[in-house]
Amino acid sequence: MLSKRIIPCLDVRDGRLTKGIQFKENADIGDPVEAAREYYEQGADEIVFLDITASSEGRRIMIDIVKRVAETIFIPFSVGGGIGTVEEMRRVILAGAEKVSVNTEAVKNPAIIAEGARTFGSQCIVLGMDVKKVPASERIPSGYEIAIHGGRTFTGLDALRWAREAESLGAGEICLNSIDADGTLDGYDVGLTALISGHVGIPVIASGGAGKPEHLFDVLTRGRADAALIASMVHYRTYAIPEIKRYLHGRGVKTRMHW
């Protein structure tokens, strides 16, 4: 069995680490570079950095902070926020990122997934999906709709259909974020995660809702996720990464341990 990955997520707004609930009420909680260093030292498997207002503000990603984080950590590092061209991807990778996450811009121009995969390899291209539960319909048969612009704009795009299309275009991984669960600490949307994981052949990172180690166990087992994104539970010092990994190890979930 491949080890399951535990991935802290750094949502960055105006150069500061921030955390919201269901994509609203964001609070400033510190320096993203210091947080990245702390999580790296605790044994995080990867770090995800998201410039959460770059798309909605129509601006480029804050590359100086990306460089500072990359100089601080020595684990895989994924960066997203307003990236819509191969040149922007190259800029982020040259700043030190191993992976580039595309979300809003990929919905607006799906060809960017294929162009990025051809240029840098599928392993570098992560599809970010912000998903809201809605009544199932002919247009959205899965009952899950894609939102863009940081959850502000709903697209009428079915989440399952979009995941499969992105995989066929060359995405190497999916970061699947539940808007409903985001920041609630009540657990991931395990049903959503299992749905997407069961219909694509690329790794799925579950995101949104982690409040305690049991939630990670649920989404990594019943949800069939390959990795779990965490934020509030480590940002607010409720849990440390070694504690989370020891819990999972004790329940038979393989993780990379740093005893």
Side-chain angles (χ1 to χ4, degrees):
M1 178 202 294
L2 288 174
S3 293
K4 302 289 189 176
R5 291 169 288 148
I6 309 303
I7 307 175
C9 182
L10 308 178
D11 284 346
V12 177
R13 182 175 190 166
D14 300 325
R16 299 287 292 171
L17 184 63
T18 186
K19 191 71 194 82
I21 299 173
Q22 296 178 335
F23 288 36
K24 301 179 189 126
E25 300 170 15
N26 282 77
D28 182 330
I29 53 173
D31 177 4
V33 180
E34 286 302 313
R37 178 185 289 114
E38 180 180 349
Y39 301 146
Y40 163 64
E41 290 173 350
Q42 283 187 19
D45 298 301
E46 297 182 20
I47 297 285
V48 165
F49 173 107
L50 299 175
D51 188 336
I52 62 169
T53 55
S55 289
S56 60
E57 293 173 1
R59 60 169 171 79
R60 300 173 89 186
I61 204 162
M62 293 182 176
I63 206 71
D64 57 322
I65 302 176
V66 173
K67 286 179 180 174
R68 287 170 57 212
V69 171
E71 289 164 357
T72 302
I73 63 174
F74 303 95
I75 52 177
F77 177 37
S78 175
V79 174
I83 298 170
T85 67
V86 167
E87 278 312 306
E88 279 289 289
M89 291 179 176
R90 181 173 285 110
R91 185 167 165 259
V92 166
I93 290 169
L94 288 174
E98 278 83 12
K99 301 177 186 178
V100 175
S101 180
V102 290
N103 186 326
T104 296
E105 300 303 323
V107 171
K108 288 157 56 173
N109 174 28
I112 189 61
I113 298 171
E115 291 166 16
R118 277 196 303 271
T119 306
F120 305 108
S122 287
Q123 77 283 354
C124 290
I125 309 302
V126 180
L127 176 72
M129 292 173 52
D130 295 331
V131 180
K132 177 101 178 151
K133 191 169 179 59
V134 296
S137 64
E138 188 175 337
R139 190 176 187 190
I140 307 174
S142 73
Y144 288 100
E145 183 177 358
I146 294 290
I148 57 174
H149 297 133
R152 295 169 181 82
T153 306
F154 288 87
T155 62
L157 189 60
D158 182 81
L160 178 56
R161 188 176 297 151
W162 176 226
R164 297 179 76 169
E165 180 182 348
E167 179 183 21
S168 72
L169 287 167
E173 191 166 58
I174 290 171
C175 187
L176 180 64
N177 193 37
S178 166
I179 295 172
D180 301 293
D182 179 72
T184 63
L185 308 182
D186 291 333
Y188 299 89
D189 188 330
V190 174
L192 167 64
T193 309
L195 173 72
I196 302 298
S197 295
H199 286 87
V200 298
I202 55 178
V204 173
I205 305 168
S207 173
K212 55 186 180 179
E214 289 88 338
H215 295 153
L216 281 80
F217 176 79
D218 285 345
V219 85
L220 293 170
T221 54
R222 291 193 297 117
R224 299 167 62 184
D226 298 274
L229 220 63
I230 53 176
S232 299
M233 62 192 295
V234 286
H235 293 341
Y236 295 116
R237 308 289 197 279
T238 314
Y239 297 93
I241 293 167
E243 183 182 0
I244 297 167
K245 288 192 170 186
R246 281 194 294 270
Y247 171 85
L248 293 170
H249 179 79
R251 294 198 64 181
V253 176
K254 185 179 178 186
T255 62
R256 296 184 185 93
M257 300 298 291
H258 299 261
W259 297 106

